[in-house]
């Protein structure tokens, strides 16, 4: 096609303008891919912490005034048999003071069935010393968050005293440490469910029941079904984290607007270059039309120029964006946890689809950028164009 040859010649003949137009596209694609990587990492980490680091459904007493769930064994068995439910873990949670020598810390003591809790929360994946399921065989064993153990200055094998008003001080043997990377490492301890119930003098009740389901996105429907059958209050992870999900939706809209503006800036750069070409090549365009070149071909020449600039720009932009993301991944960008829902560093995630989306939309914007200059060139009168040159 001679239109492509002419377009290529035009692009190569104006090296500086072409270079700046390519750089505009490349920078737009690079900036957007980096932003997408930051957004993907942030959203992925938030969803992971919401879905994977918490029960998909938490069953609470029906009445807010009630502190405990009774008949928890019956309800846990009923919930476990529901379609889509992987496991249910009854849990007793109480606040205690743990003491070791002259050190004392306030702790959330969680009494659990180790096997059920492992199926729901997979605590064992976070254990850095010892074995979570060893609780099964240790009547008064306890696992501590590693930061809590550090604050108490205890190690695996030491014994700590649990103190609670109205309860008899009980000695627990530290059988393991876990690390989640969250604030829970400073305030959480696990013990056997029956041990916790005995310590708090509350046999036969639990604080809540955690549930893990096969498809987290079906948690709302399963929670509604559980409420209907058990008459207990079932809260899905989506309901519990509605604030986070709303924040992510708002963030998506605002970021997409920013993407559009960046693409538009790059597109205006290309359009400006092509309009300049039309103004400076009026005589050549007039001669082409006088020789019989159709309006359609004139438009094609300018659209091909836009495409050539766009393709080269998005290729460089993709490479530049990838290199930038890799470079950023090698540094931990610290963020204030209170602002970023507990995240301590900004996660960055490479998603191949992000590069594809950025390149595709950059290409589309480039095509649209070339339409006006192409129409302007195609509408030139051949005689006036030659005379005005």
């Amino acid at each position: 096609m001679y239109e492509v040859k002419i377009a290529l010649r035009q692009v190569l003949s104006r090296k500086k303008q072409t270079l700046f137009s390519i750089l505009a596209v490349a920078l737009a694609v690079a900036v957007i891919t980096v932003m997408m990587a930051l957004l993907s990492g942030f959203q992925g980490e938030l969803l992971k912490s919401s879905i994977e680091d918490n029960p998909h459904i938490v069953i609470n007493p029906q009445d807010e005034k009630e502190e405990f769930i009774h008949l928890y064994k019956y309800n846990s068995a009923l919930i476990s048999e529901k379609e889509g439910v992987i496991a249910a873990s009854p849990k007793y949670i109480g606040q205690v003071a743990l003491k070791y020598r002259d050190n004392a810390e306030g702790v959330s003591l969680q009494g659990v069935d180790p096997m059920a809790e492992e199926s729901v929360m997979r605590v064992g994946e976070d254990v850095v010393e010892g074995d979570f399921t060893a609780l099964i065989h240790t009547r008064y064993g306890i696992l501590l968050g590693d930061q809590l153990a550090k604050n108490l200055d205890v190690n695996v094998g030491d014994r700590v005293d649990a103190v609670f008003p109205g309860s008899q001080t009980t000695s627990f043997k530290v059988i393991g440490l876990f690390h989640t990377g969250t604030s829970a490492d400073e305030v959480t301890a696990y013990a056997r469910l029956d041990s916790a119930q005995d310590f708090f003098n509350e046999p036969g009740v639990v604080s809540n029941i955690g549930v893990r389901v096969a498809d987290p996105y079906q948690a709302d429907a399963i929670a509604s079904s559980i409420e209907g059958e058990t008459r207990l209050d079932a809260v899905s992870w989506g309901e519990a984290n509605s604030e986070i999900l709303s924040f992510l939706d708002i963030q998506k809209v605002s970021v997409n607007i920013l993407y559009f503006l960046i693409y538009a800036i790059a597109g205006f750069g290309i359009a400006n270059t092509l309009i300049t070409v039309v103004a400076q090549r009026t005589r050549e365009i007039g001669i082409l039309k006088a020789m019989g070149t159709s309006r359609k071909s004139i438009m094609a020449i300018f659209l091909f120029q836009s495409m050539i600039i766009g393709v080269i720009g998005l290729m460089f932009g993709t490479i530049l964006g990838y290199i930038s993301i890799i470079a950023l991944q090698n540094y931990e960008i610290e963020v204030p946890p209170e602002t970023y829902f507990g995240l301590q560093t900004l996660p960055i995630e490479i998603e191949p689809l992000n590069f594809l989306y950025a390149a595709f939309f950059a290409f589309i914007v480039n095509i649209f950028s070339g339409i006006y200059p192409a129409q302007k060139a195609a509408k030139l009168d051949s005689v006036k164009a030659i005379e005005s040159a």
Side-chain angles (χ1 to χ4, degrees), residues 16-222:
K16 287 186 178 177
Q17 287 184 348
T18 300
L19 177 62
F20 282 112
S21 296
I22 289 173
L23 283 176
V25 177
L27 287 174
V29 173
V31 168
I32 286 173
T33 52
V34 171
M35 289 179 64
M36 283 181 162
L38 292 170
L39 187 63
S40 295
F42 179 59
Q43 292 180 341
E45 196 62 32
L46 277 186
L47 288 176
K48 177 179 175 295
S49 62
S50 301
I51 296 175
E52 296 299 326
D53 297 344
N54 293 290
H56 296 157
I57 300 171
V58 176
I59 314 295
N60 299 303
Q62 184 183 28
D63 192 335
E64 292 182 357
K65 295 179 182 177
E66 292 184 26
E67 192 175 357
F68 302 113
I69 296 175
H70 300 269
L71 301 175
Y72 71 88
K73 291 182 180 177
Y74 167 78
N75 284 313
S76 296
L78 183 67
I79 293 167
S80 298
E81 292 173 357
K82 288 190 67 64
E83 184 178 355
V85 172
I86 294 176
S89 173
K91 182 184 297 185
Y92 188 101
I93 303 175
Q95 301 299 315
V96 302
L98 286 186
K99 294 179 62 179
Y100 180 71
R101 296 179 179 170
D102 295 331
N103 301 321
E105 293 287 336
V107 173
S108 172
L109 179 62
Q110 303 194 10
V112 298
D113 175 337
M115 295 306 293
E117 185 67 3
E118 179 63 18
S119 298
V120 173
M121 292 297 295
R122 297 173 182 170
V123 181
E125 295 178 1
D126 296 325
V127 173
V128 293
E129 194 170 347
D131 183 3
F132 181 67
T133 56
L135 277 176
I136 299 171
H137 311 293
T138 313
R139 183 71 172 86
Y140 287 99
I142 194 168
L143 273 87
L144 307 179
D146 56 353
Q147 285 301 313
L148 173 61
K150 185 177 180 182
N151 294 340
L152 288 170
D153 196 23
V154 300
N155 297 302
V156 173
D158 292 336
R159 301 192 75 88
V160 293
D161 291 332
V163 180
F164 180 75
S167 297
Q168 184 176 359
T169 300
T170 303
S171 176
F172 286 87
K173 182 180 180 182
V174 179
I175 62 170
L177 306 178
F178 61 88
H179 174 79
T180 64
T182 67
S183 57
D185 297 337
E186 298 182 30
V187 294
T188 306
Y190 288 100
R192 264 174 50 167
L193 177 57
D194 54 352
S195 303
Q197 290 170 327
D198 289 346
F199 173 73
F200 287 106
N201 296 317
E202 295 287 356
V205 297
V206 294
S207 305
N208 62 49
I209 301 173
V211 180
R212 188 177 190 83
V213 299
D215 182 358
Y217 294 98
Q218 295 296 319
D220 284 337
I222 295 174

Side-chain angles (χ1 to χ4, degrees), residues 281-297:
R281 300 287 182 179
T282 301
R283 184 171 180 274
E284 286 85 345
I285 294 170
I287 292 172
L288 282 172
K289 297 189 75 172
M291 292 172 65
T293 304
S294 65
R295 285 188 173 189
K296 186 177 176 182
S297 294

